[in-house]
Amino acid sequence: MTDSSTGAGAAYGDRDPDALARRAGERANPDRDQHFLVDDRVLDRIPAYLPDDADASHLLEIGGGAGALTDRLLAVVAGDGSADSGSDASPSRLSVIERDGAFADFLREEFATAIDDGLLGVIEGDALDVDLPEFTACVANLPYGVSSEIAFRLLPAKKPLVLMFQAEFADRMVASAGESEYGRLSVSAQHYADVEIVERVPKEAFDPQPAVESAVVRCTPRDPDYEVGDEAFFLRFVKALFTQRRKTVRNAVRNTGHISGLDDPDAVVDAADEDLLRRRPGDLEPSAFAALAELARERGSPTGV
Protein backbone atom coordinates (compact mmCIF):
# COMPACT_ATOMS: atom_id res chain seq x y z
CA MET A 1 0.00 0.00 0.00
CA THR A 2 2.56 2.54 -1.08
CA ASP A 3 1.87 6.06 -2.31
CA SER A 4 1.79 6.76 -6.02
CA SER A 5 3.85 9.94 -5.86
CA THR A 6 6.78 10.80 -8.06
CA GLY A 7 8.49 13.12 -5.64
CA ALA A 8 6.72 16.29 -6.81
CA GLY A 9 5.30 18.63 -4.19
CA ALA A 10 1.78 18.15 -5.57
CA ALA A 11 1.93 14.47 -4.58
CA TYR A 12 1.63 15.40 -0.93
CA GLY A 13 -0.61 17.57 1.18
CA ASP A 14 -4.13 16.43 0.33
CA ARG A 15 -4.48 12.98 1.88
CA ASP A 16 -7.78 12.55 3.72
CA PRO A 17 -7.05 11.97 7.42
CA ASP A 18 -10.00 9.58 7.87
CA ALA A 19 -8.90 7.54 4.87
CA LEU A 20 -5.36 7.39 6.25
CA ALA A 21 -6.67 6.07 9.56
CA ARG A 22 -8.70 3.42 7.75
CA ARG A 23 -5.72 2.31 5.70
CA ALA A 24 -3.59 2.16 8.83
CA GLY A 25 -6.06 -0.37 10.22
CA GLU A 26 -5.42 0.92 13.73
CA ARG A 27 -7.54 3.32 15.75
CA ALA A 28 -5.96 5.96 17.90
CA ASN A 29 -5.92 4.73 21.48
CA PRO A 30 -6.64 7.46 24.05
CA ASP A 31 -5.22 5.17 26.75
CA ARG A 32 -1.90 5.54 24.93
CA ASP A 33 -2.34 9.32 24.66
CA GLN A 34 -3.30 9.05 20.97
CA HIS A 35 -5.77 11.57 19.55
CA PHE A 36 -5.52 12.02 15.79
CA LEU A 37 -6.08 15.45 14.32
CA VAL A 38 -8.61 14.87 11.52
CA ASP A 39 -9.81 18.38 10.63
CA ASP A 40 -8.41 19.11 7.17
CA ARG A 41 -8.59 22.87 7.64
CA VAL A 42 -6.50 22.80 10.80
CA LEU A 43 -4.04 20.34 9.27
CA ASP A 44 -3.59 22.59 6.25
CA ARG A 45 -2.94 25.66 8.39
CA ILE A 46 -0.43 24.21 10.85
CA PRO A 47 2.70 24.15 8.60
CA ALA A 48 2.00 27.76 7.60
CA TYR A 49 2.50 28.86 11.20
CA LEU A 50 6.25 28.39 10.88
CA PRO A 51 7.97 31.79 10.80
CA ASP A 52 8.43 33.11 7.26
CA ASP A 53 12.21 32.89 7.54
CA ALA A 54 12.26 29.42 9.11
CA ASP A 55 14.73 26.94 7.64
CA ALA A 56 12.63 23.99 6.46
CA SER A 57 15.55 21.93 5.19
CA HIS A 58 15.09 19.32 7.95
CA LEU A 59 11.70 19.29 9.63
CA LEU A 60 10.97 17.13 12.65
CA GLU A 61 7.56 15.71 13.57
CA ILE A 62 6.92 13.89 16.85
CA GLY A 63 4.00 11.48 16.96
CA GLY A 64 3.27 10.79 13.30
CA GLY A 65 0.32 8.47 13.94
CA ALA A 66 -1.52 7.67 10.72
CA GLY A 67 0.34 10.41 8.84
CA ALA A 68 -2.17 13.23 8.27
CA LEU A 69 0.24 15.95 9.42
CA THR A 70 3.17 14.00 7.96
CA ASP A 71 1.50 14.33 4.56
CA ARG A 72 1.20 18.12 4.92
CA LEU A 73 4.81 18.45 6.06
CA LEU A 74 6.01 16.36 3.12
CA ALA A 75 4.32 18.91 0.85
CA VAL A 76 6.51 21.55 2.51
CA VAL A 77 9.80 19.70 2.09
CA ALA A 78 8.98 18.35 -1.39
CA GLY A 79 8.17 21.84 -2.57
CA ASP A 80 11.13 23.56 -0.87
CA GLY A 81 13.48 25.34 -3.24
CA SER A 82 16.54 23.53 -1.93
CA ALA A 83 15.19 20.33 -3.44
CA ASP A 84 15.15 21.79 -6.98
CA SER A 85 17.33 20.07 -9.51
CA GLY A 86 20.58 21.87 -10.10
CA SER A 87 20.76 23.19 -6.54
CA ASP A 88 23.96 22.55 -4.62
CA ALA A 89 22.01 22.38 -1.35
CA SER A 90 20.97 19.05 0.11
CA PRO A 91 17.30 18.22 -0.52
CA SER A 92 14.90 19.17 2.26
CA ARG A 93 13.62 16.28 4.32
CA LEU A 94 11.31 15.31 7.16
CA SER A 95 12.06 13.05 10.13
CA VAL A 96 9.12 11.55 12.03
CA ILE A 97 9.40 9.97 15.46
CA GLU A 98 6.65 7.45 16.23
CA ARG A 99 6.71 5.17 19.27
CA ASP A 100 3.86 2.85 18.18
CA GLY A 101 5.35 0.11 16.01
CA ALA A 102 2.15 -0.47 14.02
CA PHE A 103 1.90 3.19 13.04
CA ALA A 104 5.64 3.43 12.32
CA ASP A 105 5.27 0.50 9.92
CA PHE A 106 2.26 2.13 8.30
CA LEU A 107 4.11 5.41 7.76
CA ARG A 108 6.94 3.54 6.05
CA GLU A 109 4.41 1.78 3.82
CA GLU A 110 2.14 4.74 3.06
CA PHE A 111 5.04 7.07 2.27
CA ALA A 112 7.43 4.54 0.76
CA THR A 113 8.12 6.75 -2.26
CA ALA A 114 9.02 9.69 -0.03
CA ILE A 115 11.48 7.44 1.82
CA ASP A 116 12.95 6.20 -1.47
CA ASP A 117 13.26 9.81 -2.66
CA GLY A 118 15.15 10.79 0.50
CA LEU A 119 12.38 13.10 1.68
CA LEU A 120 11.30 11.11 4.74
CA GLY A 121 12.85 9.14 7.58
CA VAL A 122 10.78 7.29 10.18
CA ILE A 123 12.34 6.85 13.61
CA GLU A 124 10.57 4.24 15.74
CA GLY A 125 10.88 4.98 19.44
CA ASP A 126 9.90 7.21 22.32
CA ALA A 127 10.68 10.89 21.72
CA LEU A 128 11.90 11.15 25.31
CA ASP A 129 14.51 8.45 24.77
CA VAL A 130 15.68 8.45 21.15
CA ASP A 131 18.46 10.67 19.88
CA LEU A 132 16.85 13.60 18.10
CA PRO A 133 18.11 14.27 14.58
CA GLU A 134 19.72 17.60 13.73
CA PHE A 135 16.44 19.31 12.84
CA THR A 136 15.98 22.89 11.63
CA ALA A 137 12.35 23.27 12.78
CA CYS A 138 9.74 21.08 14.47
CA VAL A 139 6.01 20.86 13.74
CA ALA A 140 4.04 18.35 15.78
CA ASN A 141 0.79 17.35 17.44
CA LEU A 142 2.42 16.20 20.67
CA PRO A 143 1.20 13.41 22.97
CA TYR A 144 -0.31 15.54 25.73
CA GLY A 145 0.77 13.34 28.62
CA VAL A 146 4.45 14.04 27.92
CA SER A 147 4.16 17.39 26.14
CA SER A 148 6.07 19.26 28.83
CA GLU A 149 9.01 16.84 28.78
CA ILE A 150 9.16 16.85 24.97
CA ALA A 151 8.85 20.64 24.76
CA PHE A 152 11.83 21.03 27.06
CA ARG A 153 13.86 18.65 24.93
CA LEU A 154 13.10 20.87 21.95
CA LEU A 155 13.28 24.41 23.33
CA PRO A 156 17.00 24.41 24.26
CA ALA A 157 17.82 23.59 20.62
CA LYS A 158 16.58 27.12 19.79
CA LYS A 159 14.82 26.13 16.57
CA PRO A 160 11.40 27.31 15.40
CA LEU A 161 8.63 25.14 16.87
CA VAL A 162 4.94 24.81 16.01
CA LEU A 163 3.41 22.48 18.57
CA MET A 164 -0.08 21.39 19.57
CA PHE A 165 -0.76 21.35 23.32
CA GLN A 166 -3.68 21.17 25.68
CA ALA A 167 -5.12 24.70 25.78
CA GLU A 168 -4.51 25.02 29.51
CA PHE A 169 -0.85 24.12 29.06
CA ALA A 170 -0.55 26.59 26.17
CA ASP A 171 -2.12 29.35 28.25
CA ARG A 172 0.50 28.77 30.94
CA MET A 173 3.31 28.88 28.38
CA VAL A 174 2.33 32.33 27.09
CA ALA A 175 1.20 33.90 30.40
CA SER A 176 2.73 37.14 31.65
CA ALA A 177 3.82 38.09 35.17
CA GLY A 178 0.84 38.85 37.38
CA GLU A 179 -1.59 36.59 35.49
CA SER A 180 -3.04 33.59 37.28
CA GLU A 181 -1.62 31.16 34.68
CA TYR A 182 1.91 32.57 35.03
CA GLY A 183 4.38 30.16 36.56
CA ARG A 184 7.51 28.10 36.14
CA LEU A 185 6.40 26.95 32.68
CA SER A 186 5.91 30.56 31.51
CA VAL A 187 9.33 31.72 32.67
CA SER A 188 11.14 28.64 31.39
CA ALA A 189 9.52 28.61 27.94
CA GLN A 190 9.92 32.36 27.45
CA HIS A 191 13.57 32.07 28.45
CA TYR A 192 14.18 30.28 25.14
CA ALA A 193 11.68 31.82 22.73
CA ASP A 194 8.92 34.25 21.93
CA VAL A 195 5.90 32.08 22.61
CA GLU A 196 2.44 32.75 21.17
CA ILE A 197 -0.84 30.91 20.66
CA VAL A 198 -1.62 31.04 16.95
CA GLU A 199 -4.80 28.95 16.92
CA ARG A 200 -7.22 27.37 19.36
CA VAL A 201 -8.49 23.97 18.27
CA PRO A 202 -11.79 22.46 19.49
CA LYS A 203 -11.90 18.87 20.69
CA GLU A 204 -14.14 18.02 17.73
CA ALA A 205 -11.11 18.35 15.44
CA PHE A 206 -9.72 15.08 16.86
CA ASP A 207 -10.64 11.41 16.74
CA PRO A 208 -11.14 10.19 19.35
CA GLN A 209 -11.99 13.49 20.96
CA PRO A 210 -9.81 14.46 23.95
CA ALA A 211 -11.46 15.71 27.11
CA VAL A 212 -9.92 19.17 26.69
CA GLU A 213 -9.57 21.94 24.14
CA SER A 214 -6.23 22.33 22.37
CA ALA A 215 -4.07 25.13 21.04
CA VAL A 216 -1.27 25.52 18.50
CA VAL A 217 1.76 27.34 19.93
CA ARG A 218 4.53 28.94 17.89
CA CYS A 219 7.92 29.27 19.56
CA THR A 220 10.32 31.60 17.76
CA PRO A 221 13.82 31.26 19.24
CA ARG A 222 15.55 34.34 20.57
CA ASP A 223 18.14 35.32 23.12
CA PRO A 224 16.60 36.70 26.35
CA ASP A 225 17.06 40.36 27.25
CA TYR A 226 18.95 39.34 30.38
CA GLU A 227 21.98 37.21 31.13
CA VAL A 228 22.34 34.15 33.34
CA GLY A 229 25.69 32.68 34.28
CA ASP A 230 24.35 29.17 34.82
CA GLU A 231 21.23 28.23 32.88
CA ALA A 232 20.63 25.00 34.78
CA PHE A 233 20.74 26.84 38.10
CA PHE A 234 18.46 29.60 36.79
CA LEU A 235 15.80 27.08 35.74
CA ARG A 236 16.15 25.18 39.02
CA PHE A 237 15.86 28.42 40.99
CA VAL A 238 12.68 29.40 39.12
CA LYS A 239 11.24 25.95 39.79
CA ALA A 240 12.07 26.25 43.48
CA LEU A 241 10.45 29.64 43.97
CA PHE A 242 7.24 28.62 42.22
CA THR A 243 6.77 25.77 44.69
CA GLN A 244 6.10 28.65 47.11
CA ARG A 245 4.16 30.89 44.75
CA ARG A 246 1.79 32.16 47.45
CA LYS A 247 4.67 33.16 49.72
CA THR A 248 6.70 36.32 49.47
CA VAL A 249 9.96 36.05 47.57
CA ARG A 250 11.74 36.43 50.93
CA ASN A 251 10.11 33.31 52.34
CA ALA A 252 10.25 31.44 49.05
CA VAL A 253 14.03 31.83 48.87
CA ARG A 254 14.43 30.80 52.50
CA ASN A 255 12.12 27.78 52.22
CA THR A 256 13.48 26.25 49.02
CA GLY A 257 17.24 26.07 49.42
CA HIS A 258 17.00 22.28 49.34
CA ILE A 259 15.45 22.52 45.83
CA SER A 260 17.57 25.29 44.33
CA GLY A 261 20.78 24.02 45.93
CA LEU A 262 21.50 27.13 48.00
CA ASP A 263 23.77 26.61 50.99
CA ASP A 264 22.94 29.98 52.52
CA PRO A 265 19.49 31.30 51.54
CA ASP A 266 19.63 33.93 54.28
CA ALA A 267 22.65 35.54 52.64
CA VAL A 268 20.62 35.96 49.46
CA VAL A 269 17.74 37.53 51.39
CA ASP A 270 20.12 39.89 53.18
CA ALA A 271 21.58 41.09 49.86
CA ALA A 272 18.34 41.41 47.86
CA ASP A 273 16.27 44.54 47.35
CA GLU A 274 13.52 44.90 49.96
CA ASP A 275 10.83 45.79 47.42
CA LEU A 276 11.63 42.63 45.49
CA LEU A 277 11.52 40.48 48.63
CA ARG A 278 8.01 41.70 49.46
CA ARG A 279 6.64 40.56 46.11
CA ARG A 280 5.43 37.07 45.20
CA PRO A 281 7.06 34.80 42.60
CA GLY A 282 4.06 35.10 40.28
CA ASP A 283 4.63 38.86 40.02
CA LEU A 284 8.28 38.68 38.93
CA GLU A 285 9.21 39.19 35.28
CA PRO A 286 11.72 36.67 33.86
CA SER A 287 14.42 39.36 33.98
CA ALA A 288 13.80 39.83 37.71
CA PHE A 289 14.12 36.08 38.23
CA ALA A 290 17.38 36.16 36.30
CA ALA A 291 18.80 39.00 38.41
CA LEU A 292 17.78 37.28 41.63
CA ALA A 293 19.22 33.96 40.43
CA GLU A 294 22.55 35.65 39.72
CA LEU A 295 22.52 37.20 43.18
CA ALA A 296 21.74 33.78 44.63
CA ARG A 297 24.68 32.23 42.77
CA GLU A 298 27.02 34.90 44.10
CA ARG A 299 25.81 35.08 47.70
CA GLY A 300 24.13 31.75 48.42
CA SER A 301 26.88 29.43 47.19
CA PRO A 302 24.59 27.03 45.29
CA THR A 303 25.85 23.48 45.39
CA GLY A 304 27.99 22.59 42.42
CA VAL A 305 28.60 26.18 41.29
Side-chain angles (χ1 to χ4, degrees), residues 19 34 50 74 128 130 132 139 149 154 163 181 187 195 208-209 211 256-257 263 294 303:
Q34 295 172 341
L50 280 170
L74 280 171
L128 295 180
V130 300
L132 298 181
V139 183
E149 293 93 330
L154 297 173
L163 306 173
E181 296 90 353
V187 177
V195 186
Q209 293 183 18
T256 60
D263 293 332
E294 288 304 284
T303 302

Side-chain angles (χ1 to χ4, degrees), residues 281-302:
D283 295 325
L284 298 187
E285 298 282 350
S287 57
F289 270 108
L292 187 58
E294 288 304 284
L295 182 67
R297 283 206 317 130
E298 295 169 3
R299 302 298 181 92
S301 301

Side-chain angles (χ1 to χ4, degrees), residues 101 110-111 116 141 166 174 224 271 274 299 303:
E110 175 71 21
F111 300 107
D116 291 343
N141 174 23
Q166 291 185 18
V174 305
E274 183 62 30
R299 302 298 181 92
T303 302

Side-chain angles (χ1 to χ4, degrees), residues 198-239:
V198 292
E199 181 170 351
R200 294 187 181 273
V201 183
K203 60 184 74 173
E204 291 79 13
F206 298 86
D207 181 32
Q209 293 183 18
V212 296
E213 302 294 314
S214 302
V216 181
V217 174
R218 175 168 56 209
C219 302
T220 305
R222 58 152 179 79
D223 292 325
D225 57 2
Y226 53 81
E227 293 185 6
V228 294
D230 184 325
E231 187 172 80
F233 174 72
F234 167 70
L235 296 173
R236 190 167 67 244
F237 185 74
V238 170
K239 174 183 177 181

Side-chain angles (χ1 to χ4, degrees), residues 46-132:
I46 286 177
Y49 289 130
L50 280 170
D52 291 340
D53 61 351
D55 179 357
S57 61
H58 192 167
L59 295 182
L60 173 66
E61 181 189 5
I62 293 174
L69 183 56
T70 305
D71 177 54
R72 272 65 178 178
L73 295 176
L74 280 171
V76 173
V77 300
D80 187 88
S82 64
D84 292 344
S85 60
S87 171
D88 292 333
S90 299
S92 297
R93 67 190 310 269
L94 168 68
S95 292
V96 180
I97 298 175
E98 173 54 56
R99 69 177 181 179
D100 188 305
F103 286 120
D105 287 342
F106 173 73
L107 291 172
R108 296 187 186 101
E109 187 176 6
E110 175 71 21
F111 300 107
T113 302
I115 293 174
D116 291 343
D117 290 345
L119 296 176
L120 176 66
V122 178
I123 301 168
E124 185 176 337
D126 192 314
L128 295 180
D129 299 326
V130 300
D131 292 333
L132 298 181

Side-chain angles (χ1 to χ4, degrees), residues 157-170:
K158 294 195 173 182
K159 305 295 184 182
L161 311 174
V162 176
L163 306 173
M164 182 87 75
F165 295 105
Q166 291 185 18
E168 180 183 0
F169 185 91

